[in-house]
Each structure stands twice: as structure tokens, then as C-alpha cells.
């Protein structure tokens, strides 16, 4: 069993492996009181006034107590982050990292702006960690790129992958957990999907181009493979009109 897990871990793409390792290590560290969640959560005041910039990153690494909910989110993180990196972003690690950076930026911006809006500011003030929202964003993007794959929910009913985010949102409502986490992930995921897939087809222009300095951080493998069934890849940059 241990050998199988080790082999799976070694075969996991670099970004998924790094994120999963950081998330598990951070959560275990908090459970053992080695790290305090109070030093990790998103606090705009401390970021601006005390220059605790690390909070913009660490709030995406803590997934709460090590319970069934933690295992549930680790499964989704490992599964859908890996699926995206191995398929839609195969050989494009820099683009995948930029997608996560875009999602994290959108989520952080929504929380900061929402905290200043009357009547909803109280709800946003309760959001301290955006790790689950970023995971949900990956689920949303994957569902948009693989809409026709058939899935089953707890063996109760089957549905197309395009409805996966809505099924999970409905499940959150049924079990009484906060839906803000899921909704924020859906908003960030749809923003990326629209700008990366829909807008270029409408206008012939691509807005989300990975900066050169990020591309230099990754040595993308130029792999030519047959696309898996029902997987739609983004339009190659060379086919788009560049401004």
C-alpha cells in the first residue's frame, strides 16, 4: 500500500504534487500546534499595515481540521488538479500555474471588495481561508472542459460533468455548510473559463496570456499526444489574432 502511494506521488505532476504537499504539511502542522492558523488566515489589515504578505498565500494552504471534510477536499484537490495538469495543461505547467494564480487573485479580490460592501460585508468577514474555493474553481474549470463525461454521485444518480459544480453546491446546501465557499470558486472558475475559452472565440483575442517571467520558471515538456475523449483544449495562441 505504502509503495503504491509512493509511486502515485512520484508520478503526480509537479504543481499538483507541490500544492498537495504544502496543503497536507500545513494542515498537519496546525493540527500538531506547530503552526497557528491565526498566522495563516487572510487578514487585509495585517497584510497592509503589518506587511504580513505571506497571508495572501498561506490562506490557500490550510484546509481546516484533519477530519472527513479534510479528506474529502484532499481527494478533490488531488483528483481535479491532477486531471487538469495532465490533460488540458499537459506540457504547459506555466499556463497551469498562471491559472491558479489568476484564480487566487480573483478570489482574494472578491473577498476584499465584498468586505467593503454594506449588507454583505459580514458574510465576507467570516471567510478566513480560500483553499476550498480554489479547489472548487479547479472542479468548475475541469467540468467546463469535460462537459460530456458521465459521473455518479454516491451511486444515487448519474449526470454529466457539466453539472458537477451544481451537484456539489446542492450537496453543501443539504448538509448545511456555507455555500459562499462554493459560489466564490464558481465565480473565479467561470471568470477564467470565459476569458480563456469563450472570449477568444468571440473576438479572436486572448487576454489571459501567461507572462514571460512565469514561463521562465517552468521547463514545459513539449509532448504531442492524442487528446482524450470529450476533452476540449484551449485555442492555440498562434491561431488567435494578437493585438
Amino acid at each position: 500500500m505504502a509503495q503504491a502511494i509512493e509511486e502515485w506521488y512520484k508520478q503526480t505532476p509537479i504543481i499538483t504534487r507541490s500544492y498537495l504537499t504544502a496543503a497536507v504539511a500545513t494542515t498537519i502542522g496546525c493540527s500538531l500546534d506547530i503552526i497557528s492558523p491565526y498566522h495563516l488566515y487572510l487578514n487585509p489589515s495585517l497584510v497592509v499595515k503589518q506587511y504580513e504578505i505571506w497571508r495572501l498565500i498561506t490562506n490557500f494552504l490550510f484546509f481546516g481540521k484533519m477530519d472527513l471534510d479534510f479528506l474529502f477536499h484532499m481527494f478533490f484537490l488531488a483528483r481535479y488538479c491532477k486531471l487538469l495538469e495532465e490533460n488540458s495543461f499537459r506540457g504547459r505547467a506555466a499556463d497551469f500555474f498562471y491559472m491558479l494564480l489568476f484564480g487566487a487573485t480573483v478570489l482574494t479580490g472578491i473577498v476584499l471588495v465584498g468586505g467593503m460592501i454594506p449588507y454583505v460585508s459580514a458574510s465576507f468577514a467570516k471567510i478566513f481561508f480560500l483553499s476550498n474555493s480554489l479547489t472548487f474553481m479547479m472542479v468548475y474549470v475541469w467540468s467546463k472542459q469535460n462537459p460530456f463525461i458521465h459521473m455518479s454521485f454516491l451511486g444515487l444518480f448519474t449526470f454529466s460533468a457539466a453539472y458537477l459544480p451544481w451537484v456539489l453546491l446542492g450537496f453543501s446546501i443539504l448538509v448545511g455548510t456555507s455555500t459562499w465557499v462554493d459560489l466564490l470558486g464558481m465565480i473565479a472558475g467561470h471568470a477564467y473559463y470565459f476569458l480563456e475559452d469563450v472570449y477568444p472565440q468571440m473576438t479572436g483575442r486572448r487576454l489571459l496570456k501567461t507572462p514571460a517571467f512565469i514561463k521562465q520558471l517552468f521547463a514545459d515538456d513539449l509532448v504531442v499526444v492524442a487528446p482524450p475523449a470529450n476533452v476540449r483544449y484551449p485555442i492555440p495562441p498562434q491561431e488567435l489574432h494578437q493585438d
Side-chain angles (χ1 to χ4, degrees):
M1 180 67 177
Q3 185 177 0
I5 295 177
E6 181 181 359
E7 193 65 24
W8 174 87
Y9 182 78
K10 290 180 179 179
Q11 294 176 357
T12 302
I14 181 62
I15 295 179
T16 301
R17 184 168 69 245
S18 300
Y19 190 14
L20 186 63
T21 301
V24 172
T26 301
T27 304
I28 291 178
C30 291
S31 298
L32 298 177
D33 291 329
I34 299 175
I35 311 172
S36 173
Y38 292 105
H39 295 151
L40 306 177
Y41 76 98
L42 180 61
N43 187 316
S45 178
L46 292 178
V47 171
V48 175
K49 296 180 180 180
Q50 302 296 327
Y51 305 106
E52 297 184 3
I53 307 298
W54 66 82
R55 292 179 182 272
L56 297 175
I57 300 175
T58 55
N59 81 94
F60 290 100
L61 300 180
F62 181 63
F63 282 80
K65 298 179 180 179
M66 296 193 66
D67 51 15
L68 185 61
D69 185 64
F70 169 76
L71 295 177
F72 179 78
H73 283 97
M74 286 300 98
F75 168 77
F76 271 82
L77 173 61
R79 175 175 174 80
Y80 292 101
C81 190
K82 183 180 180 181
L83 284 174
L84 283 173
E85 189 171 2
E86 286 185 338
N87 295 307
S88 299
F89 293 90
R90 185 176 181 86
R92 299 191 298 127
D95 293 337
F96 184 56
F97 178 81
Y98 187 57
M99 184 203 79
L100 295 180
L101 181 62
F102 172 84
T105 302
V106 170
L107 290 171
T108 303
I110 292 175
V111 172
L112 295 182
V113 173
M116 298 183 292
I117 300 177
Y119 305 110
V120 297
S121 58
S123 298
F124 283 99
K126 298 177 182 178
I127 301 176
F128 300 113
F129 297 95
L130 291 167
S131 48
N132 293 340
S133 295
L134 187 61
T135 301
F136 204 91
M137 173 201 171
M138 288 185 271
V139 173
Y140 186 92
V141 172
W142 179 85
S143 72
K144 283 295 186 180
Q145 296 184 346
N146 303 270
F148 304 113
I149 292 180
H150 293 290
M151 309 188 72
S152 174
F153 183 74
L154 302 178
L156 300 177
F157 60 92
T158 59
F159 56 93
S160 298
Y163 298 101
L164 177 59
W166 300 102
V167 171
L168 295 178
L169 178 63
F171 180 73
S172 296
I173 296 174
L174 286 177
V175 298
T177 59
S178 174
T179 58
W180 275 110
V181 170
D182 297 349
L183 289 173
L184 290 178
M186 293 175 70
I187 292 172
H190 190 75
Y192 179 83
Y193 166 72
F194 177 81
L195 293 175
E196 179 67 13
D197 292 348
V198 178
Y199 184 79
Q201 294 182 8
M202 294 170 53
T203 65
R205 292 175 295 186
R206 187 183 180 198
L207 297 180
L208 292 181
K209 293 180 287 187
T210 305
F213 77 91
I214 293 182
K215 287 185 174 294
Q216 293 176 357
L217 298 177
F218 298 90
D220 290 346
D221 295 325
L222 298 178
V223 181
V224 179
V225 295
N230 299 323
V231 175
R232 178 169 54 80
Y233 289 85
I235 299 175
Q238 61 268 23
E239 295 183 8
L240 301 177
H241 172 72
Q242 302 292 335
D243 289 338

